[in-house]
Amino acid sequence: MLERFSDAAVQVCDLAYEEAERLRHDYLGPEHVLVGLARTSDAGVDKFLSVRGLGHDVLRAGLDRLVADGVLPSPWRNQADLLRGLGIDIGEVRLVVERSFGPDAVCAALRRTRRWSRLRDLPFLSGGPPSPLEGKAMVAKRAFWLAEQEATGLGQEQAGPAHLLLGVLRDAEDPAGTGLSRRARRGRAYLGLASHGPSPVRRLVEGAGASLADLRADMLTSLHVAT
Amino acid sequence: MSGVGSDEVTALAAATRSQDPEVGLTAVAALRGLVDVLEALQVENARAKGWTWKAIAERLAVSKQAVHQKYARGRLPRIGR
């Protein structure tokens, strides 16, 4: 999915992953990517955000508040922790299974249990709740896809952090859960995410006194100045 | 990555929340997600080793039709044509 992402953009995804881990979230969402973007110095994206009141610590505090308000999942929903509560060490299970069948077989079994969706060709989260044996659910998929569209629109081969920011902002304009199948909405509900109302990124941005449209316009201007 | 402290917190949280249906049900769904993958893995392996659907079904304690319907190839790509 990240073939067209530049190294810097992939690095943002790693930072986003770290943020999701910190919150014990089983998914990687656009809100985590936004925090990742606030931590990347590439193309001055971190500076761009911080001068508009969206610094790394502001966003982080914003995420914590959204968790406290129940907009984002609480840490207790972490599947590995829930299974540990039942006496199952999922890391150990994964190790044993991969040792006996190989990682490819585990991937194939995961694909098999994900039922095919009519929407499988669409770039959105499909399928039901994630299995604890797979990585994080890609809730940010639509934002990633939009980032690639932004890069294409600007005549760029690769999507960098700036395009990623545009993708996240564009995705956030629509209500949470836009374009998802009923099954995918169920998947979101299982994760503890609403499929209606303003997107978490919109809440974050507006909570910090910024606006999605202004950020987008400013980012586009700075990209045009740079080229 | 998480330290001993956070594990303790988790354990404590689990203990205080063990009576909460929301937590219990979510844990069951996580368990089911795990079992589904393990089942698919084992069925795939048994088929590769030449096991019949009947033999697999016996070991899984379900009907052979049930396993066949769930795992036989050709079923999945039918949807969404």
Side-chain angles (χ1 to χ4, degrees):
Chain A
M1 183 165 45
L2 307 178
E3 302 93 7
R4 288 192 50 207
F5 276 26
S6 70
D7 290 346
V10 171
Q11 212 180 338
V12 169
C13 295
D14 290 343
L15 294 169
Y17 194 93
E18 266 178 36
E19 189 59 21
E21 278 289 288
R22 181 183 77 85
L23 295 161
R24 306 296 292 151
H25 286 163
D26 281 330
Y27 71 98
L28 189 76
E31 53 276 21
H32 305 129
V33 177
L34 188 59
V35 175
L37 284 164
R39 284 176 66 191
T40 182
S41 52
D42 186 85
V45 170
D46 55 347
K47 201 129 173 259
F48 174 87
L49 287 170
S50 67
V51 296
R52 286 162 182 83
L54 295 166
H56 171 223
D57 24 323
V58 174
L59 289 174
R60 222 170 220 199
L63 279 185
D64 289 340
R65 202 161 39 244
L66 288 182
V67 169
D69 292 349
V71 174
L72 294 179
S74 307
W76 68 259
R77 285 183 180 273
N78 184 277
Q79 290 196 316
D81 293 343
L82 285 169
L83 289 176
R84 194 174 308 121
L86 294 172
I88 297 165
D89 182 344
I90 193 66
E92 188 64 28
V93 174
R94 189 181 296 128
L95 217 64
V96 168
V97 167
E98 285 188 355
R99 209 180 288 142
S100 24
F101 297 104
D104 291 347
V106 177
C107 274
L110 281 166
R111 269 202 305 277
R112 195 158 250 289
T113 51
R114 286 223 156 279
R115 265 167 282 174
W116 287 50
S117 156
R118 232 172 247 285
L119 298 165
R120 70 182 183 279
D121 294 327
L122 292 179
F124 309 128
L125 170 79
S126 60
S131 164
L133 270 177
E134 64 195 315
K136 297 192 186 303
M138 273 296 159
V139 171
K141 206 169 176 179
R142 183 169 183 264
F144 288 161
W145 180 72
L146 288 165
E148 291 190 348
Q149 300 292 103
E150 295 286 351
T152 307
L154 292 163
Q156 299 293 317
E157 193 79 13
Q158 283 199 316
H163 306 118
L164 203 44
L165 177 59
L166 288 173
V168 167
L169 294 172
R170 175 68 195 78
D171 174 64
E173 281 170 19
D174 299 322
T178 294
L180 295 182
S181 66
R182 201 181 294 178
R183 186 196 299 280
R185 281 165 187 260
R186 253 194 333 261
R188 275 183 72 97
Y190 176 76
L191 288 167
L193 288 167
S195 287
H196 54 81
S199 61
V201 169
R202 181 189 279 276
R203 288 179 198 258
L204 268 180
V205 167
E206 291 179 353
S211 109
L212 291 175
D214 291 353
L215 280 173
R216 182 183 167 76
D218 289 356
M219 191 72 236
L220 282 173
T221 315
S222 72
L223 276 176
H224 282 300
V225 169
T227 48
Chain B
M1 198 154 68
S2 55
V4 181
S6 87
D7 278 356
E8 274 168 12
V9 172
T10 312
L12 190 68
T16 50
R17 283 176 172 276
S18 58
Q19 288 288 307
D20 185 345
E22 194 173 17
V23 177
L25 292 170
T26 311
V28 169
L31 198 54
R32 191 163 49 214
L34 176 59
V35 169
D36 283 349
V37 175
L38 291 182
E39 188 184 272
L41 210 50
Q42 296 292 351
V43 170
E44 200 79 9
N45 184 45
R47 284 298 291 172
K49 294 209 160 116
W51 280 49
T52 61
W53 290 114
K54 183 166 176 285
I56 294 170
E58 257 169 36
R59 297 315 349 130
L60 286 175
V62 295
S63 75
K64 63 174 187 258
Q65 288 87 353
V67 211
H68 188 267
Q69 194 187 20
K70 203 164 166 192
Y71 293 103
R73 290 198 187 279
R75 175 186 166 254
L76 296 176
R78 196 189 58 204
I79 314 166
R81 188 170 289 167

